[in-house]
């Protein structure tokens, strides 16, 4: 049997986030939670790979507080086969370094696998570091920003990675991790039977001890990142607009560029 | 949805949630184009199938969820709230499947119901003909008995899902001398020899629904495809309508709900004379009346659907009441929704003109509201006759 592991994150369903002024971290209480929208494409792709390959198990994993179980049940209702919740007070305040370490420990516990999938980034932290971080801990290749999969089978894939100026076609052999973009697929609607089965599914909770995680690499103490200050970046200025007749605008632009020593 | 809460079960709530998600996320972006170009929503049928919604009205033994008319109505209402035409790709399949569910034998159910449950095939109900509308017994399609099969000849018209169904419940007469007792229902597979799909109708509303002519030209239907028995067709048709009319009522209810919500929202956004038009009683009272009538219609539709599901006898009169009342409410509410939106409501940029066009057919098909009143009147006379005379 083949295995695909999808990592998801439960995030607050709103842009109205409050920051705790003392720790400079987000206050999550009282905000409705959803699956990180980018992770929906990861779930969908995991299920599509299973449908393509047959005899494949899709395992969905998240790290979070006990209520993150809701996100896992939603993933199950869409067609993932089983879910694992990584939850332990010791995981609190983990940064991307510690989080990717914890997730990689879970992969080792799950056992063999063919492909790991995450969304391109989480909508709350926006770091895009956890996916590649997991690959790094596991010492496997990671391919980020996948917009299209040309071919995928156990041990081989040919994919397209989005760039600012086009895309790369990448071939990879062996196990690998991919982070995916919304261009890759259109997430499905859950089925009624899927939803009912997901309600009843048993979701194991794995602790730091069970994962045999190194205490020095998890939680606040295991996290090298320190948030010094959080602030809203100033909005981008509008730039200048050169208006008028053709000659006027050409001269205006020329003068602007030369005055600013850009020519 | 802004409406009175009902005490739905967990399962019913999940069904409604799935139908709502499909309607909002998948149907809403398509509805204007599909209405304009009269496109059949093949990809929506696929989504409805994958989400198990066609399983709702199919018994569990045949790969369904074994739910009832009530659940089918809940789904139809939710889809119709966004698009009453696309919703017919769903409800029309239930209509086509009911004859098999109600009167089919074990073998027929095993063969035909599972693909309808999965959405792999949709069903269609083929009764109406040019001369058999309200006078449904007057079908001219002939079924001639041969050795091991029947030869069907005739033309059906205005058949919902006609061009896209895989399974058809077709009504023909085996012996015109026997009149109504010659009417017989058959299951016809799409690829049956001598069966042709005819022209697609160009309609006022429900334009994303595929309405067709069906042509039977020496169409060879095996004897084993008779639904019930020879001569039982009229009974099959009447019993089907008792089950399906709450579905049409739910479609009308959904259309009305959609139009009401558009009007309510618009009246709060539209500013004239320096304030939103909802602050004018002339407008807000119209909207209050919409809400009253929709709630009354919903109470009737839900109760009748549950009555039918309870297995109660003599439900036809109540099914007719639900269909008539909900469709009249839909016509009134969509008309007034355009009025609330004024000139904008008359434009295709807003969805209420489409809802108005879609609403009209619910007063006409599966029995005009005049025929429904006839059914109700007969029902009442029969009920009176049942009271023992002192």
């Amino acid at each position: 049997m083949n295995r695909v592991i999808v990592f998801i994150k439960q995030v607050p369903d709103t842009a109205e986030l409050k920051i705790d002024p003392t720790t400079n971290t987000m206050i999550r209480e009282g905000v409705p939670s959803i699956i990180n929208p980018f992770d929906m494409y990861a779930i969908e792709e995991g299920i599509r790979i299973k449908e393509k390959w047959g005899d494949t198990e899709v395992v969905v994993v998240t790290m979070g507080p006990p209520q993150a179980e809701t996100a896992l049940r939603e993933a199950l209702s869409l067609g993932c086969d089983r879910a694992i919740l990584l939850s332990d007070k010791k995981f609190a305040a983990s940064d991307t370094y510690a989080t990717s370490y914890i997730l990689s420990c879970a992969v080792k516990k799950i056992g063999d696998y063919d492909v790991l999938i995450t969304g391109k980034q989480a909508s709350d932290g926006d770091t895009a570091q956890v996916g590649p971080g997991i690959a790094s801990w596991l010492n496997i290749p990671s391919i980020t920003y996948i917009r299209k999969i040309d071919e995928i089978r156990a041990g081989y894939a040919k994919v397209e990675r989005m760039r600012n100026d086009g895309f790369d076609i990448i071939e990879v052999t062996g196990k690998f991790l991919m982070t995916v973009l919304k261009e890759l697929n259109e997430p499905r609607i859950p089925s009624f039977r899927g939803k009912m089965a997901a309600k009843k599914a048993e979701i194991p909770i794995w602790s730091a001890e069970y994962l045999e995680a190194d205490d020095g690499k998890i939680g606040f103490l295991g996290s090298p990142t320190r948030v010094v200050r959080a602030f809203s970046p100033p909005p981008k200025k509008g730039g200048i607009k050169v208006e008028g007749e053709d000659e006027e605008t050409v001269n205006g632009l020329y003068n602007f560029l030369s005055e600013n020593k850009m020519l | 949805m802004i409406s009175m809460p009902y005490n739905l079960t967990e399962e019913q709530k999940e069904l409604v949630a799935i139908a709502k998600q499909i309607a909002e996320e998948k149907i809403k972006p398509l509805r204007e184009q599909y209405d304009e170009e009269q496109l059949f929503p093949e990809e929506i049928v696929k989504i409805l199938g994958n989400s198990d919604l066609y399983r709702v009205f199919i018994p569990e033994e045949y790969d369904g969820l074994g739910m009832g008319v009530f659940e089918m109505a809940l789904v139809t209402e939710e889809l119709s709230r966004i698009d009453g035409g696309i919703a017919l790709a769903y409800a029309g399949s239930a209509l086509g499947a009911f004859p098999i569910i109600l009167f089919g034998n074990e073998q027929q159910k095993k063969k035909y119901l599972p693909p309808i449950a999965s959405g792999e095939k949709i069903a269609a109900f083929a009764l109406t003909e040019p001369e058999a509308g309200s006078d449904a017994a007057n079908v001219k399609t002939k079924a001639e008995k041969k050795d091991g099969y029947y030869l069907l000849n005739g033309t059906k018209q205005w058949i919902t899902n006609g061009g896209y169904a895989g399974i058809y419940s077709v009504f023909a007469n085996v012996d015109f001398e026997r009149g109504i007792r010659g009417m017989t229902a058959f299951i016809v597979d799409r690829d049956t020899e001598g069966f042709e799909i005819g022209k697609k109708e160009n309609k006022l509303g429900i334009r994303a629904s595929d309405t067709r002519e069906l042509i039977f030209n020496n169409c060879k239907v095996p004897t084993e495809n008779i639904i019930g028995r020879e001569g039982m067709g009229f009974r099959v048709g009447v019993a089907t309508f008792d089950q399906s009319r709450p579905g049409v009522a739910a479609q009308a209810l959904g259309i009305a709900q959609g139009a009401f919500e558009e009007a309510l929202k618009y009246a709060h956004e539209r500013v004239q004379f320096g304030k939103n038009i909802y602050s004018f009683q002339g407008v807000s009272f119209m909207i209050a009346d919409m809400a009253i009538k929709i709630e009354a219609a919903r109470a009737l539709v839900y109760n009748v659907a549950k009555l039918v599901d309870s297995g109660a006898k003599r439900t036809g009169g109540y099914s007719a009441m639900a269909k008539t009342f909900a469709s009249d409410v839909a016509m009134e509410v969509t008309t007034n929704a355009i009025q609330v939106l004024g000139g904008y409501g008359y434009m295709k940029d807003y969805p209420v003109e489409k809802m108005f066009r879609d609403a009209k057919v619910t007063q006409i098909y599966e029995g005009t509201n005049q025929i429904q009143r006839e059914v109700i009147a007969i029902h009442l006379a029969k009920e009176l006759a049942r009271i023992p005379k002192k």
Side-chain angles (χ1 to χ4, degrees):
Chain A
M1 188 180 62
N2 298 104
R3 187 179 282 137
V4 177
I5 305 174
V6 178
F7 301 94
I8 65 170
K9 184 180 188 183
Q10 194 178 45
V11 296
D13 183 15
T14 172
E16 300 292 314
L17 280 175
K18 294 192 178 73
I19 304 288
D20 184 325
T22 54
T23 61
N24 281 329
T25 52
M26 283 178 295
I27 304 168
R28 290 169 191 273
E29 285 76 34
V31 184
S33 297
I34 55 166
I35 294 179
N36 169 37
F38 298 114
D39 295 344
M40 295 303 283
Y41 306 101
I43 294 169
E44 177 64 31
E45 203 53 40
I47 299 165
R48 286 188 186 193
I49 290 171
K50 173 189 163 175
E51 285 169 349
K52 199 180 294 172
W53 289 357
D55 194 32
T56 299
E57 180 189 52
V58 181
V59 185
V60 58
V61 179
T62 194
M63 185 186 93
Q67 57 267 30
E69 191 195 281
T70 321
L72 292 174
R73 289 200 193 276
E74 191 182 336
L76 289 173
S77 77
L78 291 163
C80 294
D81 297 290
R82 64 186 172 107
I84 297 161
L85 174 61
L86 314 180
S87 194
D88 194 318
K89 287 210 170 72
K90 286 183 181 172
F91 296 156
S94 290
D95 68 0
T96 57
Y97 177 88
T99 301
S100 56
Y101 169 71
I102 295 163
L103 294 171
S104 74
C105 292
V107 174
K108 287 176 183 162
K109 274 283 168 196
I110 291 167
D112 207 7
Y113 62 90
D114 298 286
V115 186
L116 307 179
I117 315 177
T118 73
K120 69 159 180 166
Q121 66 197 49
S123 64
D124 52 359
D126 276 332
T127 68
Q129 291 171 353
V130 171
I134 299 166
S136 185
W137 285 108
L138 295 169
N139 202 20
I140 58 168
S142 77
I143 309 173
T144 51
Y145 306 112
I146 293 180
R147 66 164 205 180
K148 188 165 176 277
I149 295 175
D150 293 325
E151 200 184 334
I152 188 160
R153 51 178 195 261
Y156 173 82
K158 188 177 166 191
V159 300
E160 291 181 12
R161 174 171 63 191
M162 187 90 101
R163 296 161 54 110
N164 283 337
D165 54 353
F167 64 92
D168 299 320
I169 295 177
I170 299 175
E171 283 182 288
V172 59
T173 54
K175 302 168 195 297
F176 72 104
L177 177 140
M178 58 180 175
T179 79
V180 299
L181 301 179
K182 72 173 191 301
E183 286 77 7
L184 184 61
N185 60 43
E186 191 185 340
R188 69 193 60 198
I189 305 261
S191 71
F192 179 78
R193 283 177 172 174
K195 275 194 164 186
M196 288 298 137
K199 275 181 201 286
K200 291 184 200 130
E202 284 199 22
I203 299 179
I205 300 177
W206 289 1
S207 63
E209 192 188 351
Y210 181 82
L211 289 175
E212 298 171 66
D214 178 347
D215 276 356
K217 289 180 182 158
I218 64 173
F220 187 72
L221 293 176
S223 299
T225 311
R226 288 293 173 270
V227 181
V228 179
R229 188 167 67 95
F231 61 94
S232 300
K236 279 187 187 164
K237 286 186 185 144
I240 65 149
K241 198 170 181 181
V242 192
E243 282 175 297
E245 298 296 321
D246 287 352
E247 202 172 326
E248 227 177 306
T249 53
V250 171
N251 287 335
L253 185 60
Y254 178 81
N255 291 338
F256 174 81
L257 294 174
S258 40
E259 274 164 28
N260 287 281
K261 301 191 166 47
M262 291 160 116
L263 287 178
Chain B
M1 192 161 100
I2 297 160
S3 63
M4 192 171 102
Y6 277 81
N7 193 18
L8 299 182
T9 64
E10 257 335 281
E11 294 198 335
Q12 289 160 350
K13 280 183 199 157
E14 290 294 358
L15 279 181
V16 170
I18 292 170
K20 188 187 173 76
Q21 194 182 352
I22 294 173
E24 297 275 356
E25 291 178 17
K26 307 290 180 185
I27 297 177
K28 203 172 188 177
L30 303 177
R31 72 174 165 190
E32 197 184 337
Q33 186 204 353
Y34 276 49
D35 174 59
E36 188 71 29
E37 298 173 21
Q38 297 212 89
L39 300 174
F40 182 79
E42 282 184 274
E43 64 279 40
I44 300 299
V45 167
K46 211 169 166 197
I47 294 169
L48 293 167
N50 289 339
S51 304
D52 297 330
L53 294 188
Y54 285 109
R55 295 187 199 281
V56 166
F57 50 83
I58 304 285
E60 274 180 292
E61 308 90 283
Y62 310 105
D63 219 6
L65 292 167
M67 297 169 145
V69 169
F70 180 50
E71 285 81 4
M72 184 271 285
L74 288 175
V75 171
T76 303
E77 179 189 356
E78 204 58 57
L79 298 176
S80 302
R81 191 178 139 255
I82 298 300
D83 195 314
I86 291 180
L88 269 188
Y90 177 73
S93 195
L95 175 64
F98 278 137
I100 307 173
I101 297 169
L102 295 172
F103 294 95
N105 60 37
E106 185 60 25
Q107 208 183 347
Q108 289 167 341
K109 287 179 181 174
K110 262 194 184 140
K111 181 174 173 190
Y112 292 105
L113 295 182
I116 296 174
S118 67
E120 180 198 331
K121 289 182 179 175
I122 55 175
F125 182 86
L127 172 62
T128 301
E129 293 182 8
E131 289 175 62
S134 294
D135 187 4
N138 193 35
V139 301
K140 300 291 185 208
T141 297
K142 186 180 170 187
E144 199 182 335
K145 192 169 184 169
K146 298 282 180 187
D147 187 22
Y149 63 94
Y150 285 77
L151 271 188
L152 266 60
N153 279 288
T155 301
K156 296 285 171 186
Q157 75 172 12
W158 305 339
I159 306 308
T160 298
N161 291 343
Y164 291 88
I167 298 162
Y168 299 78
S169 294
V170 178
F171 294 77
N173 203 315
V174 291
D175 183 357
F176 290 106
E177 303 221 327
R178 282 159 67 188
I180 205 168
R181 295 183 195 285
M183 261 225 327
T184 306
F186 296 89
I187 304 171
V188 178
D189 284 287
R190 186 192 175 86
D191 56 8
T192 308
E193 194 187 317
F195 174 54
E196 285 167 49
I197 313 286
K199 76 166 164 99
K200 182 180 173 116
E201 302 291 348
N202 186 5
K203 307 189 295 293
L204 171 75
I206 56 161
R207 289 166 57 83
S209 180
D210 186 68
T211 311
R212 293 275 181 164
E213 191 177 65
L214 302 178
I215 301 149
F216 300 88
N217 185 11
N218 282 329
C219 175
K220 209 170 154 180
V221 181
T223 303
E224 67 200 35
N225 280 22
I226 286 183
I227 303 173
R229 290 187 316 276
E230 209 187 83
M232 227 175 108
F234 199 72
R235 230 184 98 197
V236 172
V238 169
T240 293
F241 285 140
D242 287 351
Q243 300 272 319
S244 66
R245 275 178 186 143
V248 180
Q251 179 199 18
L253 184 60
I255 295 170
Q257 179 75 29
F260 152 74
E261 287 177 15
E262 291 291 338
L264 178 63
K265 190 171 67 164
Y266 181 87
H268 280 83
E269 288 163 0
R270 173 69 169 170
V271 173
Q272 289 286 273
F273 306 103
K275 45 190 175 176
N276 72 43
I277 61 171
Y278 197 72
S279 56
F280 300 108
Q281 268 187 10
V283 173
S284 65
F285 278 20
M286 278 172 81
I287 295 173
D289 280 334
M290 289 181 193
I292 295 168
K293 286 180 180 162
I294 289 171
E295 292 301 349
R298 184 173 291 113
L300 179 60
V301 174
Y302 283 12
N303 276 297
V304 170
K306 287 179 180 175
L307 180 74
V308 172
D309 286 337
S310 75
K313 293 198 175 6
R314 309 195 309 279
T315 57
Y318 302 109
S319 279
M321 288 180 197
K323 190 268 186 189
T324 306
F325 187 68
S327 59
D328 286 350
V329 165
M331 203 61 242
E332 185 183 325
V333 167
T334 54
T335 305
N336 287 340
I338 294 182
Q339 197 66 25
V340 169
L341 270 75
Y344 288 110
Y346 199 70
M347 302 297 143
K348 290 201 181 249
D349 304 322
Y350 285 82
V352 289
E353 65 81 29
K354 174 186 179 297
M355 293 164 170
F356 167 83
R357 288 184 287 107
D358 288 350
K360 185 65 212 175
V361 80
T362 63
Q363 293 181 306
I364 299 170
Y365 67 7
E366 280 194 56
T368 62
N369 282 6
Q370 287 65 42
I371 286 293
Q372 304 299 330
R373 287 179 171 95
E374 185 83 19
V375 170
I376 295 161
I378 293 169
H379 163 83
L380 296 175
K382 282 183 178 169
E383 289 297 302
L384 179 66
R386 292 177 69 86
I387 299 172
K389 291 195 178 76
K390 281 186 182 164

